[in-house]
Amino acid sequence: MQRCSRCSYCKWIPYENQQNMDFIKGCPSAARYNFHAYAASGKWNMSYSFLQGRIDYSDAFQDAVYRCQMCGNCDVSCKVVQDIEPLEHMQTLRMKFVEDGQILPEHMLFIDNLKKEDNMMLAKKADRGKWAEGIRVKNLNKEKAKVAYRAGCRYAYDDELWPIVRGGLQILLDAGVDVGIWGDEEVCCGGRSYQWGYTGEIMKYAEHTMEALKAAGVEILVNPCSDCYQAYKVLYDKIGRKLDVEVLHITEYLHRLIKDGTIEFTKEVPMTVTYHDPCHLGRLAEPWVHWKGKEVKVMGQMICHEPPKKYRRGANGVYDIPREILKSIPGLKLVEMHRIRESAWCCGAGGGVKEAYPEFATWTAAERLKEARSVGAGAMATACGWCKRNFLDAMEEGADRIEIYDIIELIQKAM
Ligand code: SF4
Ligand code: SF4
């Protein structure tokens, strides 16, 4: 904690990724509230003071901790200059807050519902499978299938997004994939509540998922939702519950089908499209790295690790596959924004911000929409229901308008 030098690099994207002065900020929280406490560094400073007994819990401390999307942009930038891990620190801080009852009433509404109804949408468990009504597909509660397709809470309950989640499933069925769904029996992955600081739920859902996958003989778990994908691929491994099936995002699975010729594009999609990297498919999706060892102080100052620690720096997320799909669509021109890949600006919907501070969530999305317009895109593609929802909400509130597509929708247009 003492190793944070207050260099403030965590507020910006790394120098080598800076392309345009209007789009070099990396931390939405620091950018919106313009006060050090809201950056990763401010949270280090407050935690250190707290541990030394110089400050106590307060509304201001709580505000800075929860007005953060847990997007990890700070983590990537900090590791360019200092190998400290702000995102892990903020995760631990949130867990401590929850443990000590320093919780937001807005979050509790969702957590209480999650405990009863197994979803993060304040909805009923009995309605979870409605998105798939009318589609003839295997029921994994009774039948076995090689591939499990999981809608995730956002897609399962947000009916405006149903065409995406239904479209993804239909493409798999039309391609002859042996696929099934759990319908009403599907449960939350636990990833979002974990990011908010609640750790019990993810353990419960990890155990449930392991059993459900085994019972249905599943070999590949396919997720149209980036949040779910990151929970299954990274968080479950982190908490010692690594799944013994292949975890894929839908773009990864569809990319395989495009490559082997199962999916063929027959139509032109004459659009200029930019791609928004969802945090949970990008830097946060980098595989978890387990490390066991000790910290050693060298020359009374430098902290080194024995054995050397391999850091997650965000470069190993899923960046190329969505872009390759977009570039392979006939007639589609891909233009890049200024903050991309591990330096992508967050959509604003993560970390419990959408639920507790909706105005901050849509402000963050509006900043991204400005960036998309600035590079001359007529449409923005993404690969996560939470991102699409937040961009749509921001436009409803007056942000720059642009067409928003999930990659699944663009694939369907081209088939
Ligand atoms: S968290 Fe990292 S990047 Fe931010 S001020 Fe501290 S050392 Fe610098
Ligand atoms: S996780 Fe994102 S919002 Fe939170 S401090 Fe880091 S960059 Fe800022």
Side-chain angles (χ1 to χ4, degrees), residues 28-240:
S29 189
R32 175 76 176 86
Y33 300 108
N34 204 19
F35 198 67
H36 191 66
Y38 290 85
S41 172
K43 291 185 258 284
W44 281 118
N45 299 154
M46 284 187 288
S47 301
Y48 187 50
S49 299
F50 178 77
L51 285 178
Q52 291 197 319
R54 285 192 277 119
I55 62 166
D56 201 351
Y57 286 124
S58 64
D59 289 349
F61 193 7
Q62 198 179 67
D63 203 57
V65 167
Y66 287 119
R67 285 186 194 266
C68 155
Q69 278 97 349
M70 299 292 281
C71 69
N73 204 316
C74 53
D75 202 70
V76 168
S77 293
C78 178
K79 284 172 184 166
V80 174
V81 290
Q82 287 264 27
D83 271 340
I84 58 176
E85 300 186 89
L87 189 62
E88 272 313 286
H89 163 250
M90 291 186 294
Q91 181 67 52
T92 310
L93 189 57
R94 283 188 173 210
M95 289 174 185
K96 172 81 178 139
F97 264 57
V98 170
E99 196 183 301
D100 291 349
Q102 298 296 315
I103 51 185
L104 296 178
E106 293 87 349
H107 284 180
M108 272 324 290
L109 264 182
F110 286 85
I111 298 297
D112 286 344
N113 185 72
L114 177 67
K115 287 178 178 166
K116 279 197 301 231
E117 305 287 346
D118 296 322
N119 70 78
M120 292 294 279
M121 295 286 291
L122 299 180
K124 294 273 175 220
K125 186 175 175 63
D127 294 333
R128 189 163 187 125
K130 278 190 177 167
W131 67 270
E133 272 176 11
I135 300 180
R136 284 167 61 90
V137 59
K138 279 186 177 177
N139 177 349
L140 293 176
N141 304 299
K142 299 178 192 152
E143 297 165 272
K144 290 189 188 290
K146 184 176 173 189
V147 173
Y149 182 78
R150 251 195 98 270
C153 299
R154 169 54 66 186
Y155 280 129
Y157 293 105
D158 189 332
D159 56 5
E160 204 183 334
L161 303 184
W162 281 358
I164 299 169
V165 66
R166 287 172 67 87
L169 178 57
Q170 199 57 57
I171 294 172
L172 297 182
L173 288 166
D174 293 346
V177 175
D178 178 25
V179 59
I181 63 170
W182 281 288
D184 289 347
E185 297 303 315
E186 181 183 293
V187 296
C188 179
C189 61
R192 286 179 80 80
S193 57
Y194 178 82
Q195 269 201 327
W196 299 8
Y198 298 81
T199 50
E201 281 58 46
I202 195 169
M203 279 293 180
K204 182 177 88 180
Y205 293 126
E207 301 295 340
H208 175 100
T209 304
M210 283 167 148
E211 281 171 29
L213 289 166
K214 197 170 169 199
V218 172
E219 294 171 29
I220 306 173
L221 177 59
V222 174
N223 303 276
C225 171
S226 293
D227 273 51
C228 300
Y229 169 72
Q230 192 260 356
Y232 291 131
K233 183 178 152 192
V234 183
L235 297 182
Y236 280 28
D237 188 10
K238 179 184 178 190
I239 63 169

Side-chain angles (χ1 to χ4, degrees), residues 229 233 251-252 275 277 281-282 285 316-323:
Y229 169 72
K233 183 178 152 192
T251 52
E252 293 177 300
Y275 175 64
D277 291 282
L281 188 60
N316 295 320
V318 181
Y319 301 117
D320 293 328
I321 282 176
R323 288 175 168 81

